[in-house]
Amino acid sequence: MASDARVSKKAAAMALAAVAGMSLTSIPAAAAVRPTARQPVETAPGAQAASVPGIPKPPTGLSALSWLVADADTGNVLAAKAPHRKLAPASTIKTLFAVTVLPKFTSGTVRRVSTADLAGLGSGSSVVGVKAGRRYTVDDLWRGVFLRSGNDAVHVLAAMNGGWRKTAQEMEQNARRLGAHDTTVKSPDGYDVPGQVSSAYDLTLFARAGLANDDFARYCGTPRARFPSVGGTPIENSNRMLAGSHGVSRYPGIIGVKNGYTSKAGNTLIAAARRNGRTLLVTVLNPQSKVANGVYKEAGSLLDWGFRSAGTAEPVGTLHAVQGTSDGRPLLPAAAQANAVGVHPGSRWRPALVLGAGLAGAAAVGLTGLLAMGRRVRGRGE
């Protein structure tokens, strides 16, 4: 009987691996295939990168708890470390907030801010300086969100969207539509709240979806702007890799996306850069080195490696595919549309989005749930 049980368990494991192996492009290979020298499973120690002769290995000495390098045009994951590890995202979760809320209001819409709009702003939050009683355009508010990571601006936009809780629920729903299953939203601004988590994989998905929208790309790529107040206070993007500030040089080809920090999350960053017709995305979560500007240095070294290797490096997985829409709605998944290509019609960037089979999406849900390792989060806000 014991022998029969062992055989049954082995058969079940082989069946699960077979289902995963049948999936096409919308499930990360690291979570979908059995371990080999070229495609290690997510639980393997260290970084995941295919070993190919003549292709440089990813940089050593990276201290981040989780990171991922992807080709934004094809969706190929070039290398990763613990891509589905659930961690506090800090303000990088504002990418999902923007993907969810930004299409709903025209940039010229004016909001007279009330005291209720700013209620619940967490102690120690990063703010851009939104004041109750003043009028702001939606364009102003989004610059406050992207440049200064203003939680006050997020609160106003969430109030316009129907409230804090409704916005958090919509963000989670949108995350699932995009194929992101590691993300739980409790506070749309990224403030440390118990239970709020995301992953390098999910955050990369949000950034990729966002960059297919012209407005998102414009806001996240703006180094400096003016914010309405007495005299029009100048503001600088807190993403040092974009602004070229605080001892960090502007990264060549940088086009965004979003940085963050909280006491629980540590430093977090999603960075996108374009060179020679190729766009790469790098997400870095919580470097442990304590080196000044460590998150930017690690992201820069990963981008450097990606540009040296892109086009020749063997992918270790694929980002869940999404399809653009022509009516301004948030991007939705297109896993069921096998062998199709979706491009946001108004995008300057126009990524080629690789689509997969519906079975792949179903397998991704089950396998991601089995493999992801979560941790509860607490702490003070950004």
Side-chain angles (χ1 to χ4, degrees), residues 93-247:
I93 202 67
K94 289 182 172 82
T95 53
L96 177 59
F97 174 74
V99 167
T100 303
V101 178
L102 194 155
K104 295 186 177 185
F105 306 101
T106 61
S107 61
T109 301
V110 176
R111 176 75 167 187
R112 184 182 179 90
V113 176
S114 68
T115 302
D117 289 347
L118 299 173
L121 191 63
S123 174
S125 288
S126 58
V127 296
V128 67
V130 175
K131 303 296 182 184
R134 291 187 61 91
R135 296 178 182 272
Y136 300 88
T137 65
V138 164
D139 195 45
D140 295 329
L141 295 171
W142 281 117
R143 281 196 291 268
V145 170
F146 277 97
L147 274 70
R148 295 303 302 162
S149 207
N151 289 4
D152 47 357
V154 173
H155 272 257
V156 175
L157 287 163
M160 295 173 63
N161 189 53
W164 201 243
R165 181 174 298 181
K166 177 178 180 288
T167 299
Q169 291 172 345
E170 287 185 357
M171 287 170 66
E172 270 201 31
Q173 292 167 1
N174 212 24
R176 300 301 176 263
R177 293 188 188 106
L178 291 168
H181 298 279
D182 305 324
T183 298
T184 299
V185 181
K186 300 293 185 180
S187 187
D189 56 3
Y191 194 83
D192 277 338
V193 175
Q196 174 142 298
V197 292
S198 191
S199 68
Y201 179 86
D202 284 11
L203 292 167
T204 307
L205 281 178
F206 306 151
R208 187 183 185 215
L211 286 170
N213 178 290
D214 274 343
D215 290 331
F216 183 108
R218 175 168 55 87
Y219 290 126
C220 81
T222 301
R224 294 167 185 84
R226 302 191 76 83
F227 190 78
S229 63
V230 178
T233 305
I235 56 175
E236 182 177 77
N237 201 307
S238 58
N239 180 353
R240 299 176 182 181
M241 183 174 277
L242 175 70
S245 63
H246 298 80

Side-chain angles (χ1 to χ4, degrees), residues 321-349:
V322 295
Q323 181 182 20
T325 62
S326 60
D327 57 2
R329 292 176 299 163
L331 296 172
L332 303 177
Q337 303 180 40
N339 302 319
V341 175
V343 179
H344 192 287
S347 176
R348 291 171 298 160
W349 172 56

Side-chain angles (χ1 to χ4, degrees), residues 8-28:
S8 178
K9 291 179 180 178
K10 182 176 180 181
M14 292 176 66
L16 179 61
V19 171
M22 289 171 62
S23 64
L24 300 180
T25 63
S26 63
I27 179 172

Side-chain angles (χ1 to χ4, degrees), residues 49-75:
S51 178
V52 179
I55 303 302
K57 294 182 178 180
T60 59
L62 299 174
S63 67
L65 297 181
S66 174
W67 53 262
L68 184 145
V69 184
D71 186 313
D73 299 305
T74 65

